[in-house]
Amino acid sequence: MRTWISERLGSAYKASVTASAEPVSRADPRPILRQRARDLGFDVCRFADATEGWSAGERLESFVEAGRHGSMGWMETTLARRQHPTGMWPEARSAIVLGLNYGPTTDPRALQGRPDRGAISCYAQGDDYHELVKGRLKDLAGVLARETARDVKVFVDTAPLMEKPLAARAGVGWQGKHTNLVSRELGSWLFLGVILSAAEIEADAPETDHCGSCRACLEACPTAAFPAPYQLDARRCLSYLTIEHAGPWPEDLRVAMGNRIYGCDDCLAACPWNKFAQGASEIRLQARPELQAPSLAELVALDDTGFRALFRKSAVKRIGRDRFVRNVLYAIGNCGDPALTAAASALVSDPDPGVRDAAAWAVRRLGAT
């Protein structure tokens, strides 16, 4: 689960392009599309059959039936459409899977040694990738529609399309034991986008699993969110808790979060395949200095206006000030610095009940240190 869990489970952008003209060429469109994808800045462009059966739909159904999706009720209500690309769009015949590298230049886990600072998932330290990827996919989709004279649909993020199994089928990478995609060339740091096409395009060879006996990602999880290899319980995942979950957390998970205030990169960063990873070349995806190691004391004082200003163009903005400040207060409760007691105390009467609860908890935790 991107990534914020939404890199794994989150909201989607979808657009349709209807072919209205004869194709420029009836030859194999893949070379033209790959070249245009490179020109647009994508690091990967591969092709998959969108009609073949797979086990991913059954795994998703088991995930939901076990309640591991937590409060993300939309996963249950859209389950039938999510289980296969043709459930989303019956006319789909091919999938073009694009990858854009957002690799960090330093180990995201290094900030855990600075408990007075907030750790924001590295994918959210730059501009919101949805807008960046969306425009480029639409450009590429237009080329595809022109070349094939067939309709296309564009997707950024998963819902209601499972792009990670498609990426594995296309040979972009494989889903590791942490359920995220791993590339032999780029490691764990890839944003994915998909174009579904009504045209039949020759598929690339799928990727095979290269995790072997490694358990690094499973052992790195601070909240033990993996019941078994290749299985995730979102209810214990910090990406889900910090971003998707609206209410108070169980106390043991508050303690385990440390200073991770938006998402969590631990399982991704632990993967040995990241020795091949590269830093993001797209400047808009590179970390803003003010989001790399922000002060908890400054973050907890944000009102709604200040929150929106700080996270302008950032994916963080989508969770709103109240949920974000709740996360910051949990981190303050874990920091062990009594000097932050006053900042937490100032919010025990906050209008938001989640913030009030988190503030009272932080004050109690700091008083016990």
Side-chain angles (χ1 to χ4, degrees), residues 302-313 317 320-321:
L302 291 173
D303 58 12
D304 187 65
T305 300
F307 171 81
R308 290 177 176 275
L310 179 61
F311 294 108
R312 185 177 63 89
K313 295 186 177 182
K317 186 173 65 175
R321 174 264 178 190

Side-chain angles (χ1 to χ4, degrees), residues 226-309:
F226 300 106
Y230 307 103
Q231 295 182 28
L232 173 74
D233 189 338
R235 296 168 296 186
R236 297 190 63 84
C237 176
L238 289 178
S239 287
Y240 162 77
L241 289 164
T242 57
I243 298 169
E244 296 291 343
H245 185 65
W249 302 7
E251 185 159 345
D252 64 321
L253 298 177
R254 301 183 191 192
V255 175
M257 76 173 283
N259 63 345
R260 303 167 186 84
I261 57 174
Y262 186 92
C264 179
D265 291 320
D266 288 27
C267 65
L268 297 175
C271 180
W273 283 99
N274 284 328
K275 63 186 176 183
F276 299 110
Q278 307 164 17
S281 58
E282 169 57 55
I283 191 168
R284 290 166 61 186
L285 297 179
Q286 294 174 5
R288 303 179 197 171
E290 65 271 23
L291 300 185
Q292 289 181 290
S295 163
L296 294 178
E298 295 178 3
L299 294 177
V300 78
L302 291 173
D303 58 12
D304 187 65
T305 300
F307 171 81
R308 290 177 176 275

Side-chain angles (χ1 to χ4, degrees), residues 45 69 93 95 98 142 172 226 228 250 283 326:
C45 175
H69 60 305
R93 295 295 177 267
L98 290 305
V172 176
F226 300 106
I283 191 168
R326 174 205 63 185

Side-chain angles (χ1 to χ4, degrees), residues 78 283 347:
T78 61
I283 191 168
L347 295 177

Side-chain angles (χ1 to χ4, degrees), residues 161-221:
L161 184 74
M162 290 194 290
E163 82 274 78
K164 288 184 294 182
L166 274 175
R169 178 177 286 179
V172 176
W174 70 96
Q175 282 188 262
K177 293 179 181 178
H178 50 19
T179 76
N180 285 290
L181 197 77
V182 184
S183 163
R184 286 194 291 180
E185 291 77 26
L186 295 166
S188 302
W189 316 103
L190 273 177
F191 291 131
L192 296 175
V194 174
I195 304 171
L196 292 182
S197 172
E200 294 185 358
I201 302 173
E202 183 178 347
D204 290 315
E207 181 60 281
T208 56
D209 191 310
H210 297 283
C211 286
S213 61
C214 179
R215 293 179 54 87
C217 62
L218 307 180
E219 294 169 358
C221 180

